[in-house]
Every structure is written in structure tokens, then in C-alpha cells.
Amino acid sequence: MKESLVFYSEYDEPAAWTEALAAHLPDLDIRVYPDVGAPEAVRYALVWKPPQGFLARFPGLRLVVNLGAGVDALLARDDLPDVPITRISDPNMARMMAGYVLFAVLRYARDIPLFERAKRERRWAYVHPREACETRVGVLGLGELGATAAAELVRHGFDVRGWSRSPKSLAGVSCVHGKDALPRFLSELDIAVVMLPLTPETRRLLGRDMLSALPAGAKLINVSRGAVVDEQALLEALKSGHIAEATLDVFETEPLPPEHPFWTMENVLITPHLASVALPRSAAQQIAENIRRVRSGREVLNRVDPRRGY
Ligand code: NAP
Ligand code: GLV
């Protein structure tokens, strides 16, 4: 029986992934759900948020590939087989994220929300531009995406700081690590960019205490997962003006319900969870490499540690 890969995603274009993977693995039977063929032939699953019980249907699975960077939803499942789990780790995906973060930081550093409001009032609101180095930007999470975004911000001349779990050394970024260092780290920022994975340790990490550690008037950009920030605490901080502005790409509940107060807040920019996406052309290569590794009994690359949660 020819071994197969099953693809599931409601967001990604199956034809683009099938074509990209077939170019690297012509001998693999690539199946798009619900046309899975013989379930016992499925060796590899390339999935983004499949329905509960989906993975349990394939007893011969040898590798689960998360069709994205964040594995919180995958690790929360109760049908996860005891096989290696990998994530997309692709420089082009990191570049797309870095572009979004740069846009969001520049928007604040160049006072664009102020000009957007002034324009609505037909007001010529001159504010003298500041040098980029006068804006302190803190990146929380210095992984594949966070480190790339931090490097992009350094390239633009910002005063870039970084926070992670373990020590890091990144050119042009002053790095600190560990939970004890977080309040002080936050207290010295103009803009905080959240790029942490959602894990038991990071869930609601940015609650009332941590948000109040930010200087009054700070801005927050969240491109990680909504639940890393306590939304109620953020709402209060945005209403009081302690946090002046927020750019939110991710939310505790997605899609963000129409009645959610964020929708009506002038100082909140909302995008619908698309700061970065998995890109078939570039990611197919590493998925194929991992399939080859599984076939030949070698260790896979970009393996997720379920105990660590990312
Ligand atoms: P990653 O490579 O796994 O890196 C995670 C970073 O967070 C690492 O630097 C890690 O520290 C740090 N970290 C984890 N737990 C921590 C803790 N308790 N305290 C301090 N630092 C901690 O992840 P990534 O590829 O950069 O992606 C980050 C997240 O972005 C994903 O998990 C996903 O949720 C989100 N994402 C969002 C979008 C979007 O479109 N909005 C797209 C892709 C991804 P160490 O380096 O010390 O391990
Ligand atoms: C998207 O949010 C991802 O984790 O890839």
C-alpha cells in the first residue's frame, strides 16, 4: 500500500500545498480531507486545527506537521498520537511576520494614529518626527519569528530590547530573560510586541500587574495568541489611557465577536489573525525533508516539545 499524507486546513489552499509537496515528494500519495483514501495508509498529517478525533482515525501516523508556527491548539487535543510533532519553521513566514511588526511599530513611532484622527477632523496636526533610536521597542519572545522581527527593528534604528525564557544574544538587541526580569523590562518600553507562544506559563501572562508595569502611554502589539494577554485587563488599560494604543491580530475568541468592545475603540487596530501565514512554496521543502527523515529513521527538524508547550 502506497503511504499517504493527509492535509486539513480551513484557511489554507489545498491545491497550493499539494502541488508544492508533490514537487518534492513525487512518490507520496497526498490526500486532502475528506478524500483521505485508506486511513491505514496515512503516515503523515499536515494539519491546522482539524476537528476533534481527526488524528485518531489514522492508526499508522508517524509524523504530525502543524501547518503553522503556534502549536497551542494542536497540543491541547486529546487525540494526539505519540509520534514526533513538527511546526512550520520558514524564513519567508518569519519575514512576513517581521513586515507586519515593522508596520505596526512604525505606525506608532511615526504618530500615524494621531494623523488618522486629525484627518477625520480636517486638522493639520504637525508633530515633529523623532529619531527611531528614541523609541524603545521590546519584543517578548525571541524565537523564529521574534528574533527576525527584532532584527528588522534594529535595521530601522529602533532601540530594541528582547525578553525570552532562556538567555539570548542577538546583534543590536539588549536581551534579558526569565519571569523575574519581566516587570523591569516592561517598565522601560514605549512599545511592547508580544511574540510568545501560548503555553501554560504564558497564558494571561500579561495581566493587570504586567500591563501596569508598562509606562503610561505605552503601546501594545499582540501577534502571538490572544490568551497571552488578559483581555479584560487590556480593555481597562486602554480605557484609562495607561495603554495608549493597541494593535491586535489575535484574540481569545476568534473570530472576534461583533459585540466585543475592542471593535468600537478608536485606539485599537484590529486585523483578523493574519500577521503571518504558512507559505507552501517555501515550507514544502522542510516538510519534505522531515518526511524523508522519518522514512530513514532520522531525527526530525523543528520538533515541538509537548512538555514545554512550544
Ligand atoms: P518559537 O520559535 O517557539 O519561539 C518562542 C519564543 O518565546 C522563544 O524565544 C521562547 O524562549 C519564548 N518563550 C516561550 N515561553 C516563554 C516564557 N514562559 N517566558 C519567556 N519567554 C518564553 O515561536 P515563534 O515561531 O517565534 O512564534 C511565536 C508565536 O507566534 C507562535 O507560537 C504563535 O502563537 C504566534 N504566531 C502568530 C501568527 C499570526 O499570524 N498572528 C503567525 C505565526 C505565529 P526561549 O528562546 O528561551 O525558548
Ligand atoms: C499562526 O497563527 C501560526 O501559529 O502559524
Side-chain angles (χ1 to χ4, degrees):
M1 191 168 25
K2 197 173 173 186
E3 61 173 23
S4 66
L5 173 147
V6 64
F7 174 96
Y8 184 100
S9 169
E10 286 174 22
Y11 293 89
D12 301 272
E13 179 48 56
W17 283 93
T18 310
E19 197 182 310
L21 285 167
H24 293 278
L25 297 163
D27 57 334
L28 187 66
D29 183 13
I30 303 167
R31 296 284 180 155
V32 176
Y33 179 84
D35 178 23
V36 298
E40 58 281 10
V42 175
R43 296 280 173 276
Y44 316 102
L46 174 58
V47 290
W48 182 254
K49 298 189 177 170
Q52 279 301 336
F54 180 88
L55 296 171
R57 296 175 53 185
F58 310 114
L61 270 180
R62 295 172 68 191
L63 174 70
V64 176
V65 184
N66 184 56
L67 188 42
V71 290
D72 46 293
L74 191 64
L75 297 184
R77 302 175 66 89
D78 57 15
D79 63 345
L80 208 51
D82 185 18
V83 299
I85 298 163
T86 62
R87 48 159 289 188
I88 300 288
S89 163
D90 169 18
N92 289 359
M93 184 185 195
R95 188 165 63 180
M96 185 184 269
M97 176 60 93
Y100 181 101
V101 170
L102 179 64
F103 146 76
V105 167
L106 280 172
R107 183 167 169 269
Y108 293 139
R110 296 303 309 268
D111 302 309
I112 301 301
L114 187 151
F115 301 128
E116 286 165 353
R117 278 170 214 135
K119 193 231 170 193
R120 285 197 285 275
E121 296 159 13
R122 299 175 178 237
R123 198 160 41 80
W124 185 264
Y126 187 86
V127 177
H128 201 67
R130 299 170 298 284
E131 258 196 278
C133 63
E134 292 173 50
T135 300
R136 301 164 299 174
V137 186
V139 179
L140 287 80
L142 298 171
E144 304 261 341
L145 305 182
T148 307
E152 187 64 7
L153 294 167
V154 168
R155 198 170 70 83
H156 276 261
F158 289 103
D159 174 350
V160 185
R161 292 116 189 264
W163 181 74
S164 55
R165 202 161 77 129
S166 58
K168 289 271 171 313
S169 170
L170 300 173
V173 184
S174 45
C175 298
V176 293
H177 65 278
K179 198 164 180 185
D180 292 347
L182 186 57
R184 169 129 193 237
F185 173 78
L186 292 170
S187 74
E188 296 172 347
L189 301 181
D190 299 304
I191 303 175
V193 187
V194 187
M195 305 194 72
L196 294 162
L198 176 61
T199 70
E201 274 182 45
T202 64
R203 185 175 289 276
R204 305 247 166 95
L205 176 71
L206 296 178
R208 204 161 279 128
D209 290 354
M210 293 301 165
L211 294 177
S212 37
L214 286 163
K219 280 100 179 173
L220 182 88
I221 296 163
N222 186 7
V223 289
S224 73
R225 288 291 182 264
V228 173
V229 179
D230 178 338
E231 274 186 4
Q232 193 51 42
L234 177 60
L235 262 173
E236 286 164 20
L238 283 163
K239 277 186 191 154
S240 74
H242 181 73
I243 292 187
E245 302 269 352
T247 299
L248 305 176
D249 184 55
V250 287
F251 304 88
E252 281 226 42
T253 304
E254 294 180 5
L256 187 66
E259 64 281 6
H260 198 289
F262 283 150
W263 286 115
T264 55
M265 298 179 82
E266 269 261 320
N267 53 351
V268 178
L269 176 66
I270 292 174
T271 53
H273 196 149
L274 42 61
S276 180
V277 294
L279 301 164
R281 256 195 300 270
S282 43
Q285 200 178 333
Q286 51 138 299
I287 296 169
E289 170 60 18
N290 272 337
I291 288 175
R292 283 189 214 104
R293 283 171 174 260
V294 170
R295 281 173 169 171
S296 60
R298 285 175 296 148
E299 185 54 55
V300 293
L301 304 173
N302 311 307
R303 189 166 178 172
V304 171
D305 177 353
R307 280 164 312 164
R308 199 176 62 155
Y310 66 101

